[in-house]
Amino acid sequence: MKKRQFNKLLLSAGAVGLADVPLGITRAIGQTRGGTLNAVLQPEPPTLNIGVNQQTPTQTVAGKIFLSLLTYDFNMKPLPSLARSWTISPDGKTYTFSLERNVKWHDGKPLTADDVVYTVKEFLPVSHPRAKAIFARCESVTAPDPYTVVFKLAEPFGAFLGAFDISNLPVMPKHIYAGTDIQKNPANQAPIGCGPFKFKEWVRGSHIHLVRNEQYFKPGKPYLDAVIYRMIPDGASRAVALEGGTVQLTQWTDLELFDAQRLSKNPKFAMTTKGYEFFAPIMYLEMNVRNAPLNNKLFRQAVSHAIDREFIRDKILYGFGKIATGPICSKTRFYDGNVKKYDLSLDKAKALLDQMGLKPDDKGIRARVRLPVAPYGEMPARACEYIRQSLAKIGIAVTLESSDAAGWAQKIANWDYDMNLTWPFQYGDPAMGVTRNYVSSNIRKVLFSNTIGYSNPEVDKLADAAAAAVDDTKRQALYSQMQKILVEDAPIAWLVEMEFPTIHDKRLQNLVTTGIGIHESFDSVYFQG
């Protein structure tokens, strides 16, 4: 029996235990309201609360349950969400948001400005990798009335209007979390949000079932009856599920990229790489600079010279991407490619290791490092294996460590690693998604913060000045200087600016409408008859 036939049997067998969960499109032909969207989710998230966990699977599901004040179009211009309007004072220090009036939490309680203030001042600083750096710039966050929130900054912050998406500021219910241990609150597993879909059930290892919020504040929306995210751990089985109609949507790394190439040519499906502009992730190899010999710049530069970025793009990412030059993606504001280049050169790499006195032993090994493998399918596993083989050529022995999503996140958050292959999001502006990985003030035991422990006072100074500047020309000059220093210091080997295929049933409409893509609320998504 061929592997794909076997996987089809597995999927069929798995469906037997899901008799009460709709499989495929359950909707009368021709309607724009109704139906169940089945989508792949992998790996299984550790929690469904985006306020306490920023891993991609959590964000994907939580975007349907929670909302923020704003969302953003493909060009990063703000659009209304919970805030129906907003104003900025002439001095750039005061941001006033007017909230929608009839928003309710899924338990029926009204959402007010107090929930926003609580989220910013008490919830996010405890658990969020970026919120501390962003909202610490506020002198005050107040609610002068139940439908108005006022942010007063100590000084102008050029990126501040980009801080109000679902990942940076997911508004949380104060009445559920206030006075509790935020990290251990049971609502993290059975969330109570205000978005278009409500949590119904989470069957571990099987599926997460969301249903329409009948009290959603936008009349007539959402159009779908339900969204079901299905955990299908095997890459080939995910492709079979899409081909067979068990699911109608895959995103991010759900499909192995060779399958994505093949299925994009199937007339039943549509494929787009749009909807990732806000995230603009760069695949990179970060190095824990606390640990010898990674604490030596020459070692880190040697690693950068030993990796063939074109091979990763062409053979592992199947052409989905562009060679990265530094910490800022070319799709993100203030990119500057005029930085030091790390061409593939084993001779240069070995010379740098020799220069630092790191000589090979009788087995040819100069150093040993640990590399946890991110559990996001075969792609990162292959990339880590390639890195292991590449570094072996210059005498660096890499031990690959496997774990599930929760174990990987815990290991990285606790600084328990030497190297880590990952692709954090940039969030439209360096002040939001880039500098958090490098500034000294954000060295924290929180995933996707400065877990590598890199600290450079000049980088700190430039990052702060660029964030505070209002004029884009000044910001560009500051960020350009910062990029040059970081690329020289090489705390990270930046590899490829990633592109991701979203492949879906052609009958699915309004799926990708903003730069946030499939992390959006899906309140306008529908099946076309």
Side-chain angles (χ1 to χ4, degrees):
M1 180 180 293
K2 294 182 179 179
K3 183 177 181 181
R4 290 193 179 277
Q5 293 174 322
F6 180 66
N7 286 327
K8 287 179 181 179
L9 288 176
L10 285 178
L11 282 172
S12 299
V16 172
L18 303 174
D20 295 328
V21 181
L23 291 168
I25 303 170
T26 56
R27 179 194 56 78
I29 297 299
Q31 292 180 345
T32 57
R33 181 176 170 86
T36 296
L37 168 60
N38 287 265
V40 168
L41 187 71
Q42 73 85 28
E44 187 165 14
T47 174
L48 297 183
N49 192 331
I50 191 174
V52 299
N53 181 271
Q54 291 278 297
Q55 288 173 268
T56 300
T58 301
Q59 292 199 35
T60 301
V61 179
K64 320 299 174 283
I65 300 170
F66 297 96
L67 295 175
S68 188
L69 301 187
L70 303 175
T71 187
Y72 300 86
D73 68 12
F74 294 120
N75 297 313
M76 302 301 105
K77 292 182 180 178
L79 302 170
S81 185
L82 287 178
R84 61 184 186 180
S85 63
W86 56 94
T87 60
I88 305 172
S89 64
D91 64 1
K93 293 184 180 181
T94 303
Y95 291 69
T96 303
F97 293 87
S98 177
L99 304 184
E100 291 285 352
R101 299 300 195 264
N102 59 340
V103 182
K104 292 183 178 180
W105 295 105
H106 293 159
D107 61 3
K109 303 284 187 181
L111 182 149
T112 71
D114 283 341
D115 292 301
V116 180
V117 173
Y118 165 77
T119 301
V120 173
K121 295 176 69 173
E122 298 184 48
F123 187 103
L124 295 179
V126 173
S127 60
H128 198 280
R130 299 180 305 282
K132 180 180 178 181
I134 294 170
F135 295 109
R137 300 175 182 277
C138 296
E139 282 188 343
S140 64
V141 183
T142 58
D145 64 60
Y147 304 107
T148 305
V149 184
V150 180
F151 296 81
K152 290 188 177 181
L153 301 177
E155 59 182 1
F157 179 32
F160 195 58
L161 197 58
F164 299 96
D165 75 297
I166 185 62
S167 58
N168 281 312
L169 177 50
V171 179
M172 294 290 150
K174 180 179 179 180
H175 66 284
I176 298 295
Y177 283 97
T180 74
D181 184 332
I182 288 170
Q183 299 281 5
K184 297 180 180 179
N185 192 302
N188 294 337
Q189 308 303 321
I192 297 171
C194 61
F197 295 95
K198 299 189 298 184
F199 173 80
K200 181 179 180 180
E201 68 172 354
W202 183 356
V203 178
R204 301 282 175 164
S206 175
H207 63 278
I208 297 168
H209 192 172
L210 311 180
V211 296
R212 178 191 288 125
N213 175 15
E214 298 290 356
Q215 293 184 309
Y216 190 52
F217 68 95
K218 295 182 183 180
K221 293 184 177 181
Y223 297 132
L224 296 171
D225 292 330
V227 180
I228 298 173
Y229 286 99
R230 301 188 177 279
M231 278 71 82
I232 305 173
D234 177 68
S237 297
R238 293 192 288 270
V240 170
L242 182 64
E243 287 181 283
T246 301
V247 300
Q248 299 87 46
L249 170 63
T250 62
Q251 59 267 306
W252 290 108
T253 58
D254 290 344
L255 291 180
E256 300 304 333
L257 293 175
F258 54 83
D259 276 327
Q261 278 189 331
R262 176 177 61 84
L263 292 173
S264 68
K265 300 171 185 177
N266 188 318
K268 294 192 305 181
F269 304 122
M271 185 190 84
T272 181
T273 56
K274 291 183 69 64
Y276 299 96
E277 291 82 358
F278 190 71
F279 309 108
I282 294 176
M283 175 189 279
Y284 62 55
L285 184 68
E286 59 183 3
M287 291 173 258
N288 189 339
V289 301
R290 302 173 188 83
N291 301 344
L294 297 96
N295 58 349
N296 190 311
K297 179 175 73 173
L298 299 179
F299 183 88
R300 302 191 300 264
Q301 290 178 342
V303 169
S304 281
H305 275 301
I307 298 173
D308 187 344
R309 291 155 175 79
E310 292 185 359
F311 181 90
I312 293 175
R313 179 196 60 193
D314 296 339
K315 303 302 182 182
I316 296 176
L317 299 179
Y318 290 87
F320 286 97
K322 177 182 177 182
I323 301 302
T325 60
I328 299 179
C329 179
S330 63
K331 294 179 181 178
T332 299
R333 302 179 72 199
F334 309 117
Y335 166 80
D336 191 337
N338 185 26
V339 295
K340 179 174 182 169
K341 300 297 190 294
Y342 290 97
D343 58 314
L344 173 64
S345 174
L346 298 184
D347 289 339
K348 289 181 181 178
K350 291 176 181 177
L352 287 164
L353 297 177
D354 288 340
Q355 184 180 339
M356 62 181 288
L358 203 60
K359 302 296 183 179
D361 62 15
D362 56 357
K363 296 181 180 179
I365 296 174
R366 301 171 186 259
R368 297 181 184 274
V369 297
R370 297 176 299 135
L371 172 57
V373 180
Y376 291 95
E378 293 182 25
M379 181 273 291
R382 286 197 295 268
C384 287
E385 176 58 30
Y386 167 73
I387 289 168
R388 187 186 70 80
Q389 294 176 5
S390 297
L391 298 188
K393 295 176 182 178
I394 60 171
I396 300 174
V398 178
T399 299
L400 302 182
E401 300 176 340
S402 300
S403 64
D404 60 12
W408 175 82
Q410 183 178 34
K411 187 178 287 288
I412 305 306
N414 287 335
W415 310 343
D416 182 19
Y417 68 97
D418 293 318
M419 295 180 175
N420 177 44
L421 183 80
T422 186
W423 47 93
F425 303 154
Q426 304 220 338
Y427 298 106
D429 192 287
M432 295 296 174
V434 178
T435 58
R436 55 157 169 156
N437 297 307
Y438 308 101
V439 294
S440 305
S441 60
N442 208 36
I443 296 175
R444 307 166 63 199
K445 286 195 171 182
V446 176
L447 188 64
F448 304 132
S449 63
N450 184 356
T451 57
I452 61 176
Y454 174 78
S455 181
N456 184 320
E458 186 64 21
V459 168
D460 294 342
K461 180 180 177 181
L462 290 167
D464 286 343
V470 176
D471 179 71
D472 280 357
T473 301
K474 183 176 181 181
R475 294 189 76 200
Q476 180 66 71
L478 292 165
Y479 280 128
S480 291
Q481 189 177 351
M482 185 191 78
Q483 289 170 80
K484 288 181 173 64
I485 294 172
L486 284 171
V487 174
E488 171 65 29
D489 281 355
I492 284 173
W494 300 278
L495 304 176
V496 179
E497 296 180 1
M498 302 180 78
E499 292 181 349
F500 295 92
T502 296
I503 299 183
H504 61 90
D505 189 304
K506 278 188 175 178
R507 291 169 290 181
L508 200 57
Q509 302 295 307
N510 286 350
L511 183 68
V512 176
T513 58
T514 72
I516 296 174
I518 53 86
H519 289 188
E520 272 290 359
S521 70
F522 280 15
D523 65 3
S524 296
V525 174
Y526 68 94
F527 285 111
Q528 186 177 58

